[in-house]
Amino acid sequence: MGGLDRGGAAFSRATLGVGATGKQTKTLGGININTDYGKKLKVNLSYVFSRAKTEYNMLINRQQVLNDTTTTTNNNNNSLNTSYTHNITASVRWHPNDTTQLTYNPSVYIRQNETMGNILSNSFSNFINPINNRTSDNNSSGNSFQFQHSFNYNHQFNKKGESVSVDHNLSISPGSGFNYSDDNLASYIPTFPSYSLKRKGDNDNQNTDVNLSATYRKPIVKKLIADLKASTGYNHQLDKVSTYDYNPITGQYDSFLLELSSDLTRNKWTEALTPGITYNISQKVMLMAHLNAQWQQVDNSFKRNTADIDQHFFYLLPSVNLNISRLSISYNRSVQLPNIGDMIPYTVVFSPLYSVTGNPNLKPTTQDNFSINFNKYNYQSGSSFSVSASASFEQNNVFRQRTINADLVETSMPVNRNGRYTYNVGGFFNKQIKKNKDFRLSSRSNINLSTGRTFFIVNQQSGYQYNYNINFTEGLSLNWKDKIEIDPQYTLSKAFITYSGGAFSNQNTLVHTANAHFNIFLPQKFNIEGYYTYMYNPLVAPGFQKSSNLLSLSLAHQLLKKDRGEIKLSSYDILNQNISSYRYVSENIITDTQSEVVKRYFMLTLQFKFNKSTTKEEEKKPVLMMR
């Protein structure tokens, strides 16, 4: 909530290899209990515990173009994160009679995490080499808790189509933590001094969200149904950061830094009334239309002896959906408040290299969304295809205007601007080529095109950034006697970006991806499964890996009656090449990131599933499932 988002538009490239970023060791266990008390009451309870230890090793190359100067910053980031989580969920569904249903879903999520990391970086330009070298060590710890529940009551009246429903949602998410940082920069230019910053930050945050709504539906005539929804909500956000400087005399972090601390609070009340209709024009044509009249009262508190910002808004947010057989056309309008951290009425100097200034005059962003979808399936030929298109237009979009000099000293401030848009067009086609008793072969094709326009203001140069993306995928599926399954696929991804205004060069990239999944079912309930992925990205920073080959295999055997047990030996990334790599382009910045992902490992798993059920007068009794 309180952070300042750098914003800006970009295009990003797909990752090299697969799997979550970072080398992770994870322990997970849980229990799931389902109990049916006859036909009227069903109860579910589950608990999952996990411990994850993740090591991140990242290389980041960041280039910025400033007129005739190109600056480059290379970062080597390493961190180790350890987290413990407990997740408890439950569900109660009660049908007291055929016309009434009540559902209650509570959950509790608890997380504790610790992170240690360091950053080594060096910066240079085509005129000055080096500009600076930097080392930064960080140690942080945090705790978070979340309780949430949802309640739904639905009742159907005697008249067909007439109903009333009540919904209630509650979410409470407090959290706290601390961070120690030791940041040292050695400067090699006379206009900017070296510095050493040793600080501690204490963090407290909380998010509370409460909503209550009631909806009444009633048929007016045979083909026309009217509905009315009344809702109210409250949201409370707290983000408090207390920053201290290290005092070498006392050896303690006891020098409070007001200019780097914040105590931000936002309280928002919302009331809404939404009338609507559903008109069944014919058996294949249906029109739904709603108009959301929404009132918002927002109080933004920044402390620091600054005045609160009280805001009152009223919105009319329409939504329309037209279904004509297999064709669907929709439109809706939405609104988003600016981040309270972007509205601060002061400047925060995070370091001599970077500072941000808030903008209390930011306006909410409104978005108009249009979409159209068509799909068709031919059962006899086994073919299907779908086509979709969408467009989105934003008013008062929030982005950051920046200044940066050749010494890499940067300032930024969020501002509003109209005219951001995105367009997307996509199509999918699947066809069964051959099918007989022993052999099935089908093909699939997928194409997606997208474009968008965003803004930039860098060093008083303003203009537009245009993004274009093309993705094409062709794949096959082969099945022989349900004993061998093979699914090869190839994807071609092209992205390029152009500018109007500003002396920035156009950018583009091309990525080739080939992958295949296969499964071989052997006698005696054995099966071999494998995945292979090859990715090639020719446009990366010097020293970055351009391609990767990822091969993973597993051998499994089903055990026990009804295959309730399984033993599996898995080998992941046999070639030991799994690297995640992508390029991000925003305004005058080109960022290449390469991350070391979970590499070669072997794993033996043993899994059992226990089911116990009894039947009495066709009513299902307790069911216990463990995994």
Side-chain angles (χ1 to χ4, degrees):
M1 175 193 68
L4 290 173
D5 184 6
R6 288 182 178 270
F11 66 84
S12 61
R13 292 294 75 219
T15 57
L16 293 175
V18 298
T21 301
K23 296 185 291 185
Q24 187 177 81
T25 302
K26 191 170 187 177
T27 303
L28 184 145
I31 185 171
N32 185 57
I33 302 174
N34 293 292
T35 305
D36 294 355
Y37 296 95
K39 295 181 179 180
K40 295 184 177 181
L41 181 62
K42 301 178 185 295
V43 179
N44 168 262
L45 177 66
S46 68
Y47 167 75
V48 176
F49 166 79
S50 70
R51 176 189 180 274
K53 188 174 183 181
T54 309
E55 181 181 351
Y56 297 91
N57 299 298
M58 301 174 63
L59 297 176
I60 302 175
N61 178 282
R62 190 169 189 253
Q63 297 183 57
Q64 295 198 71
V65 179
L66 305 169
N67 296 322
D68 62 342
T69 302
T70 300
T71 64
T72 302
T73 299
N74 291 312
N75 290 286
N76 188 346
N77 299 3
N78 299 280
S79 65
L80 178 65
N81 175 268
T82 304
S83 65
Y84 301 85
T85 63
H86 304 266
N87 193 9
I88 304 172
T89 62
S91 176
V92 179
R93 182 175 297 178
W94 181 39
H95 288 267
N97 52 58
D98 293 338
T99 61
T100 304
Q101 176 178 300
L102 293 93
T103 304
Y104 179 62
N105 298 304
S107 67
V108 174
Y109 181 80
I110 303 171
R111 187 174 191 269
Q112 178 184 3
N113 68 282
E114 297 180 354
T115 302
M116 296 183 296
N118 63 73
I119 301 174
L120 303 176
S121 69
N122 64 85
S123 300
F124 59 91
S125 73
N126 52 334
F127 294 111
I128 303 174
N129 187 7
I131 296 176
N132 60 56
N133 289 331
R134 176 176 171 239
T135 62
S136 180
D137 295 309
N138 294 274
N139 181 12
S140 64
S141 178
N143 298 278
S144 62
F145 171 87
Q146 182 184 61
F147 170 78
Q148 60 183 15
H149 72 207
S150 64
F151 169 82
N152 171 262
Y153 166 82
N154 182 272
H155 177 73
Q156 303 290 326
F157 294 99
N158 293 331
K159 185 176 181 180
K160 184 178 180 180
E162 184 179 7
S163 66
V164 63
S165 64
V166 178
D167 291 276
H168 166 62
N169 295 278
L170 169 67
S171 177
I172 303 173
S173 307
S176 62
F178 64 84
N179 172 267
Y180 291 95
S181 63
D182 188 356
D183 194 8
N184 300 277
L185 183 138
S187 176
Y188 298 95
I189 52 178
T191 56
F192 189 85
S194 302
Y195 64 79
S196 179
L197 305 174
K198 199 171 183 179
R199 292 168 174 167
K200 175 190 176 183
D202 290 325
N203 307 282
D204 289 291
N205 59 82
Q206 181 173 323
N207 185 81
T208 302
D209 200 64
V210 187
N211 294 280
L212 178 65
S213 66
T215 304
Y216 176 67
R217 290 172 55 87
K218 183 177 182 178
I220 305 301
V221 293
K222 184 178 181 180
K223 295 184 177 182
L224 181 64
I225 299 175
D227 61 81
L228 180 65
K229 179 179 180 180
S231 62
T232 183
Y234 169 72
N235 179 259
H236 170 76
Q237 297 178 352
L238 168 69
D239 190 355
K240 184 176 182 180
V241 179
S242 302
T243 306
Y244 301 87
D245 216 348
Y246 179 76
N247 188 335
I249 298 177
T250 62
Q252 302 291 325
Y253 292 88
D254 54 13
S255 299
F256 181 67
L257 300 174
L258 177 63
E259 65 275 12
L260 283 177
S261 301
S262 63
D263 191 355
L264 309 179
T265 304
R266 170 178 282 176
N267 292 294
K268 182 179 73 172
W269 294 264
T270 304
E271 304 84 31
L273 196 63
T274 309
I277 61 168
T278 300
Y279 183 31
N280 295 292
I281 301 172
S282 67
Q283 189 175 0
K284 294 184 177 181
V285 181
M286 182 178 68
L287 173 68
M288 291 185 293
H290 292 83
L291 181 62
N292 179 264
Q294 187 176 120
W295 294 263
Q296 290 186 0
Q297 305 86 47
V298 185
D299 174 63
N300 301 283
S301 175
F302 307 97
K303 303 298 191 295
R304 286 202 188 185
N305 296 318
T306 61
D308 292 358
I309 298 178
D310 294 325
Q311 300 171 303
H312 298 267
F313 302 105
F314 173 70
Y315 303 104
L316 289 175
L317 306 174
S319 64
V320 180
N321 187 279
L322 176 64
N323 294 311
I324 307 173
S325 186
R326 299 181 178 90
L327 177 67
S328 175
I329 304 172
S330 66
Y331 162 76
N332 71 80
R333 172 175 288 182
S334 61
V335 63
Q336 178 68 46
L337 290 175
N339 190 325
I340 187 176
D342 286 345
M343 296 176 62
I344 57 175
Y346 48 81
T347 298
V348 178
V349 181
F350 291 101
S351 74
L353 281 177
Y354 184 60
S355 63
V356 298
T357 301
N359 184 354
N361 298 315
L362 287 177
K363 300 177 182 179
T365 300
T366 58
Q367 188 175 67
D368 292 283
N369 304 295
F370 301 83
S371 68
I372 181 170
N373 298 274
F374 178 81
N375 62 82
K376 186 176 182 180
Y377 176 72
N378 189 313
Y379 179 80
Q380 292 181 341
S381 65
S383 63
S384 63
F385 76 92
S386 63
V387 179
S388 63
S390 64
S392 177
F393 305 91
E394 293 186 10
Q395 302 295 311
N396 292 316
N397 171 253
V398 178
F399 74 105
R400 310 197 70 79
Q401 64 178 21
R402 301 184 301 119
T403 65
I404 183 168
N405 62 22
D407 298 341
L408 297 179
V409 178
E410 181 177 343
T411 66
S412 70
M413 184 178 75
V415 295
N416 287 117
R417 178 168 286 188
N418 297 330
R420 179 178 179 178
Y421 64 75
T422 57
Y423 295 99
N424 293 276
V425 177
F428 173 81
F429 178 73
N430 181 80
K431 181 174 177 58
Q432 187 170 273
I433 300 173
K434 186 176 181 60
K435 180 181 179 180
N436 56 40
K437 181 180 179 181
D438 297 330
F439 184 77
R440 295 192 300 272
L441 177 65
S442 62
S443 67
R444 59 189 179 275
S445 303
N446 190 14
I447 185 169
N448 288 281
L449 310 173
S450 65
T451 183
R453 184 180 75 174
T454 57
F455 326 101
F456 65 85
I457 302 178
V458 179
N459 293 342
Q460 285 74 53
Q461 295 185 57
S462 63
Y464 295 102
Q465 175 177 314
Y466 298 90
N467 305 314
Y468 304 90
N469 294 274
I470 302 172
N471 291 278
F472 175 75
T473 299
E474 183 68 30
L476 296 172
S477 293
L478 183 150
N479 183 296
W480 182 70
K481 293 185 176 181
D482 289 331
K483 295 181 179 180
I484 298 178
E485 297 175 350
I486 303 176
D487 297 287
Q489 182 173 283
Y490 169 75
T491 299
L492 177 69
S493 300
K494 174 71 175 178
F496 54 96
I497 189 167
T498 63
Y499 300 90
S500 66
F504 304 150
S505 301
N506 297 339
Q507 303 293 327
N508 67 89
T509 186
L510 178 67
V511 177
H512 302 269
T513 306
N515 54 59
H517 167 251
F518 64 89
N519 212 332
I520 303 174
F521 298 91
L522 303 173
Q524 303 300 317
K525 297 184 179 181
F526 283 91
N527 77 282
I528 300 174
E529 187 174 13
Y531 296 88
Y532 173 74
T533 299
Y534 170 77
M535 186 171 286
Y536 177 66
N537 183 359
L539 190 60
V540 295
F544 280 40
Q545 185 170 311
K546 293 184 177 181
S547 63
S548 72
N549 289 274
L550 176 63
L551 176 63
S552 301
L553 296 171
S554 68
L555 174 64
H557 178 51
Q558 305 296 319
L559 305 171
L560 305 179
K561 185 178 180 181
K562 295 183 179 180
D563 298 335
R564 290 179 176 173
E566 181 186 75
I567 183 170
K568 178 188 287 189
L569 176 63
S570 303
S571 174
Y572 182 80
D573 190 17
I574 295 175
L575 304 177
N576 208 36
Q577 293 187 18
N578 199 14
I579 294 292
S580 170
S581 178
Y582 67 91
R583 168 161 286 197
Y584 182 86
V585 177
S586 177
E587 301 172 358
N588 67 325
I589 304 172
I590 303 172
T591 303
D592 288 293
T593 302
Q594 178 175 291
S595 304
E596 187 174 324
V597 187
V598 180
K599 288 197 171 184
R600 182 194 299 146
Y601 70 85
F602 297 88
M603 179 171 64
L604 181 67
T605 58
L606 185 62
Q607 178 177 290
F608 295 97
K609 181 173 67 174
F610 300 96
N611 290 329
K612 182 180 180 182
S613 63
T614 59
T615 302
K616 182 180 181 181
E617 296 178 354
E618 297 184 354
E619 291 188 355
K620 195 175 182 182
K621 293 300 182 180
V623 178
L624 175 64
M625 297 178 64
M626 300 182 63
R627 183 175 180 176

